Amino acid sequence: MTGFTGFLVKRFLQALVVLFLVSVIVFVLLHLLPGGPARAILGPKGTPQQIEHFNHQQGYDRSLPTQYAMYLKRLLTGDLGESFKLNSPVLDLLKQRLPKTLLLTVLSTALAVAIAVPLGLLQAVRRGKASDYALTGLAFLLYATPVFFLGLVMIILFAQVMPVFPAEAPQGETIGELLGDLAGLVLPVVTLAFAIIAMFSRYMRSAVLDNLTEEYVRTALAKGQSSRRVVVRHVLRNALIPLATLLGLYLPTLFSGALVVESMFNYPGMGLLFWNAAQGSDFPVLLGVTLVIGVATVVGSLLTDILYAVLDPRIRSVA
């Protein structure tokens, strides 16, 4: 089996192995909870009889291999446990919150890419000039600024000093309701976008600089093509290929940023759910969110590899 099909099979098998390891890690975390799963979930007021009953009901009194087999079976059937604080299945909570977090991250990423790509391109073609140094300094400043500080600056400037946008994100049960209040989406989206623009622009600058030294650029210039045409039609396309990889690998960082942004702006997504669960020691929710983020990261990396291979066929032969 060779070519693109072999590449896909290899990457898919690797993804399955990583997903298995993710499930093992989450299972181990469950048993590392203070006092064991029963004590962590029932709390300090749980009696020995209640703990014993809970362990028997959930299968925690059996051997670890048997427990893991039961855990894996529940996962495959979509059973992520139940939130004892919210009295609701974890899967239902994630179904409600995940689309909202996806909306926030997609809008923020789209805005970040729309700004970072031309910014990085401008830095590369004007390398060593004043504009390059200025933009590089701004990128480093944004990269070093914590997300929560960016959020505070946004709230102070645009919700208090100049009350243009509300400090609280839109509230609603559906995506349509959130999109119905576009003004409320501005500050959380822009805050999260600013947190990742610096990384994307620096990556784009490096990719463009690498391509500018390639032989095909000198050949195109020697044939009489203008520098602008070469950069826009050839260099830009090849420089976007590594950026596709960065987007897939940046998922965990995006979620960590979304967690902070959602808690600051009271955005009803998965990050806020995780934050509230951490404050209330709602361990089933914490572990469920951790598992979903792990799976999303693996799937994102797999899709990135496939996209990379589609854009650059050379990858298939060396992967």
Side-chain angles (χ1 to χ4, degrees):
M1 189 162 40
T2 59
F4 192 49
T5 303
F7 174 84
L8 288 179
V9 172
K10 182 179 179 181
R11 285 292 184 263
F12 183 73
L13 292 177
Q14 289 175 345
L16 287 180
V17 172
V18 177
L19 287 175
F20 169 74
L21 294 176
V22 168
S23 69
V24 171
I25 291 172
V26 174
F27 176 76
V28 171
L29 289 175
L30 180 65
H31 287 270
L32 290 179
L33 295 175
R39 175 59 67 187
I41 293 172
L42 295 178
K45 295 183 179 180
T47 65
Q49 292 78 13
Q50 289 175 328
I51 292 176
E52 182 180 359
H53 175 72
F54 182 88
N55 285 333
H56 180 72
Q57 186 181 43
Q58 300 295 323
Y60 293 137
D61 55 351
R62 303 185 184 184
S63 64
L64 285 178
T66 303
Q67 288 185 48
Y68 178 73
M70 295 171 60
Y71 171 74
L72 199 59
K73 182 179 179 181
R74 289 197 296 266
L75 287 184
L76 294 175
T77 57
D79 183 5
L80 299 180
E82 183 169 341
S83 168
F84 294 93
K85 300 290 183 179
L86 301 176
N87 196 28
S88 177
V90 174
L91 184 62
D92 290 346
L93 294 173
L94 294 179
K95 285 180 178 179
Q96 296 170 6
R97 303 297 187 98
L98 182 57
K100 300 172 185 177
T101 295
L102 288 176
L103 174 67
L104 175 64
T105 54
V106 167
L107 292 177
S108 301
T109 304
L111 177 61
V113 171
I115 296 175
V117 168
L119 204 62
L121 185 62
L122 178 63
Q123 288 178 267
V125 298
R126 300 184 64 82
R127 181 184 182 186
K129 298 183 179 181
S131 56
D132 179 30
Y133 290 126
L135 292 174
T136 298
L138 179 61
F140 279 129
L141 178 63
L142 286 175
Y143 186 71
T145 304
V147 179
F148 74 87
F149 185 76
L150 283 174
L152 287 176
V153 171
M154 290 292 175
I155 292 173
I156 293 173
L157 287 180
F158 300 107
Q160 296 180 355
V161 177
M162 296 180 293
V164 182
F165 303 107
E168 185 178 55
Q171 305 297 307
E173 296 298 325
T174 64
I175 298 296
E177 292 176 353
L178 296 181
L179 292 175
D181 184 9
L182 292 177
L185 281 173
V186 171
L187 292 186
V189 168
V190 171
T191 299
L192 188 56
F194 275 8
I196 56 181
I197 283 175
M199 171 68 75
F200 286 177
S201 65
R202 294 298 296 168
Y203 210 89
M204 188 66 190
R205 179 183 183 273
S206 299
V208 172
L209 287 176
D210 289 341
N211 279 273
L212 286 175
T213 61
E214 294 290 335
E215 185 66 31
Y216 75 87
V217 174
R218 290 191 290 270
T219 302
L221 292 174
K223 289 182 178 180
Q225 295 189 31
S226 65
S227 299
R228 181 173 182 177
R229 180 182 177 88
V230 171
V231 169
V232 173
R233 297 200 61 178
H234 301 288
V235 173
L236 180 59
R237 178 182 178 183
N238 291 327
L240 287 174
I241 295 176
L243 190 63
T245 304
L246 181 65
L247 286 171
L249 299 178
Y250 215 67
L251 276 174
T253 307
L254 275 174
F255 173 72
S256 63
L259 189 152
V260 176
V261 169
E262 289 183 10
S263 61
M264 290 190 66
F265 293 97
N266 195 33
Y267 183 86
M270 199 163 60
L272 183 61
L273 176 67
F274 187 90
W275 177 265
N276 291 335
Q279 290 184 317
S281 299
D282 198 346
F283 294 108
V285 173
L286 293 176
L287 293 175
V289 173
T290 302
L291 181 66
V292 169
I293 296 303
V295 171
T297 302
V298 174
V299 173
S301 299
L302 176 62
L303 294 177
T304 299
D305 288 340
I306 295 174
L307 178 61
Y308 206 169
V310 170
L311 295 175
D312 189 353
R314 296 173 300 176
I315 302 300
R316 309 172 194 174
S317 60
V318 298

